[in-house]
Amino acid sequence: MTNVDENKLMTFVGQVIGDWGALASAPLVVIGDQLGLYRAMADGKPVTAAQLAERTSTAERYIREWLAAQAASGYLAYDGDGRYHLEPEQAIALTDESSPACVLGGFEAFTAAIRIAPRLAEAFRTGAGVGWHEHEASLFRGTARFFRPGYAANLTESWLPALDGVTAKLTAGGRVADVGCGHGYSTMLMAGEYPASTFTGYDYHPESIEAARKLSAETGVTDRVDFEVATAKDFPGRDFDLITYFDCLHDMGDPVGALAHARSALAPDGTVMLVEPYAGDNVSDNLNPLGRLFYSASTLICTPASLSQEVGAALGAQAGESRLREVANQAGFSRFRRATETPFNLILEARP
Ligand SMILES: C[S@@+](CC[C@H](N)C(=O)[O-])C[C@H]1O[C@@H](n2cnc3c(N)ncnc32)[C@H](O)[C@@H]1O
């Protein structure tokens, strides 16, 4: 019989207890967000369950249990005597959507994504895909909220400036296509920075395009932004100075076909920007907490999405720069480089 190291076994079980806690507490974070429980505590002042329930028109008994669960999670602080408060850092992460540290979207997205698991188990058997559009609506909104803080912190500040000559073109007035734009936060951020340019967000998912149109009407950039339903291989328009793909190329069934279409839609000296999840080229490079998150999301969402489309290349969310370079080369791009990176993203530039 194999020798079992009891200490190793107990360490592993201890790790899993942490994971169970995260799993059980995730829907409670979504509830706290939905009902405004964190926002009602954002001033950092201690509250009792009765006070928070009154402030948020909720039932005190539920709030009492929720507060204890949140304190045990380290998501708020316990002052004793049934009183709790949000630390300033917790308040930023749990209430401030404009902060790069905001964590709410991830909870909304991943609690939605796990509800696909029964269908996915069947797909594991058959090899069939599960389309992006087949998930529930909170995945679309949650994903947009998950990515937005990172885009807000980096896109106009460092990612576009890292591309060769692109900001000068956009300042003078260029044409931009944002493919697989989802709810269009990336499109709107670029449009906010470059008023002389025009921007079209394309996505094959009609509900996302509808949401993007509504959001852009609220942000006052509609004079230079359009959102259209189109796939990555058939979006109209030519002579784009910049074509962007934010966290979506790997979700597509035919990334080579998508980039080949982009090549034909680019202006002669145009640029493609790929924003992809940070990854090393080898599995062993990615066996860390971020790789865990991305490989898991990839198994739940991205790989099945790609398998549901023609070709079904299934790059996965941890494709890494070398694999993405091959895709760009096959699509006819001869120049390819890592323009910049953050701990969460690779920013890759492809040019004809
Ligand atoms: C993970 S989401 C990213 C959305 C958005 N770019 C963002 O960063 O929030 C992937 C997006 O790619 C879109 N998508 C997937 N396959 C597509 C295709 N073949 N053509 C156009 N859009 C596609 C999905 O509808 C979805 O909105």
Side-chain angles (χ1 to χ4, degrees):
M1 201 178 128
T2 320
N3 281 338
V4 172
D5 179 329
E6 282 299 321
N7 285 334
K8 268 193 188 167
L9 178 59
M10 285 306 111
T11 304
F12 178 67
V13 172
Q15 176 195 331
V16 171
I17 288 169
D19 293 347
W20 284 340
L23 190 62
S25 113
L28 302 180
V29 177
V30 173
I31 288 173
D33 177 30
Q34 274 172 356
L35 299 181
L37 305 181
Y38 298 117
R39 290 189 293 283
M41 297 177 72
D43 62 9
K45 299 206 175 98
V47 284
T48 63
Q51 287 165 335
L52 184 58
E54 197 189 332
R55 237 181 248 179
T56 55
S57 304
T58 49
E60 187 270 343
R61 182 64 191 91
Y62 278 107
I63 295 297
R64 191 162 18 115
E65 214 65 8
W66 181 87
L67 283 166
Q70 292 295 296
S73 298
Y75 280 38
L76 45 77
Y78 185 48
D79 300 301
D81 284 338
R83 290 150 70 85
Y84 299 82
H85 74 271
L86 269 180
E87 298 284 332
E89 299 76 16
Q90 293 164 334
I92 288 172
L94 294 167
T95 71
D96 182 357
E97 299 248 7
S98 69
S99 164
C102 185
V103 296
L104 294 168
F107 284 100
E108 186 175 16
F110 298 126
T111 51
I114 59 179
R115 292 197 273 273
I116 205 75
R119 277 206 51 196
L120 200 57
E122 186 53 23
F124 268 54
R125 289 201 188 91
T126 63
V130 181
W132 173 261
H133 59 278
E134 295 178 70
H135 287 266
E136 57 178 67
S138 47
L139 177 71
F140 315 133
R141 204 176 80 116
T143 300
R145 293 174 79 202
F146 175 58
F147 288 132
R148 184 171 73 153
Y151 300 164
N154 298 295
L155 172 52
T156 59
E157 193 79 6
S158 56
W159 295 349
L160 292 176
L163 303 174
D164 192 13
V166 165
T167 55
K169 286 185 196 167
L170 299 190
T171 304
R175 283 165 55 74
V176 180
D178 187 9
V179 181
C181 65
H183 285 205
Y185 286 127
S186 51
T187 330
M188 290 179 260
L189 282 164
M190 293 189 285
E193 186 75 11
Y194 295 102
S197 290
T198 55
F199 300 82
T200 310
Y202 296 109
D203 201 290
Y204 89 104
H205 184 233
E207 289 83 352
S208 291
I209 288 298
E210 203 179 307
R213 284 183 183 142
K214 276 200 192 118
L215 288 165
S216 74
E218 286 161 23
T219 53
V221 288
T222 42
D223 60 325
R224 66 203 94 124
V225 175
D226 268 330
F227 290 102
E228 302 294 339
V229 176
T231 76
K233 283 166 65 174
D234 72 4
F235 66 85
R238 305 195 69 79
D239 286 330
F240 290 106
D241 298 292
L242 175 66
I243 303 183
T244 56
Y245 299 79
F246 289 89
D247 281 287
C248 63
L249 189 76
H250 65 267
D251 293 297
M252 295 173 185
D254 183 8
V256 173
L259 289 189
H261 180 68
R263 195 184 180 300
S264 69
L266 272 183
D269 199 27
T271 301
V272 160
M273 176 169 75
L274 304 179
V275 174
E276 281 286 311
Y278 190 91
D281 288 333
N282 304 302
V283 169
S284 53
D285 300 330
N286 305 323
L287 302 183
N288 52 54
L290 201 61
R292 179 193 192 190
L293 177 66
F294 287 145
Y295 275 129
S296 300
S298 182
T299 314
L300 277 169
I301 309 164
C302 319
T303 301
S306 176
L307 289 172
S308 77
Q309 298 183 14
E310 58 179 343
V311 182
L315 290 177
Q318 292 285 266
E321 182 179 340
S322 299
R323 181 76 188 92
L324 292 160
R325 177 192 300 274
E326 270 172 39
V327 169
N329 289 345
Q330 281 167 22
F333 289 90
S334 53
R335 291 175 283 174
F336 188 89
R337 70 180 179 101
R338 185 183 301 205
T340 185
E341 64 184 48
T342 69
F344 297 99
N345 286 109
L346 295 173
I347 316 303
L348 304 163
E349 177 188 74
R351 303 186 73 192

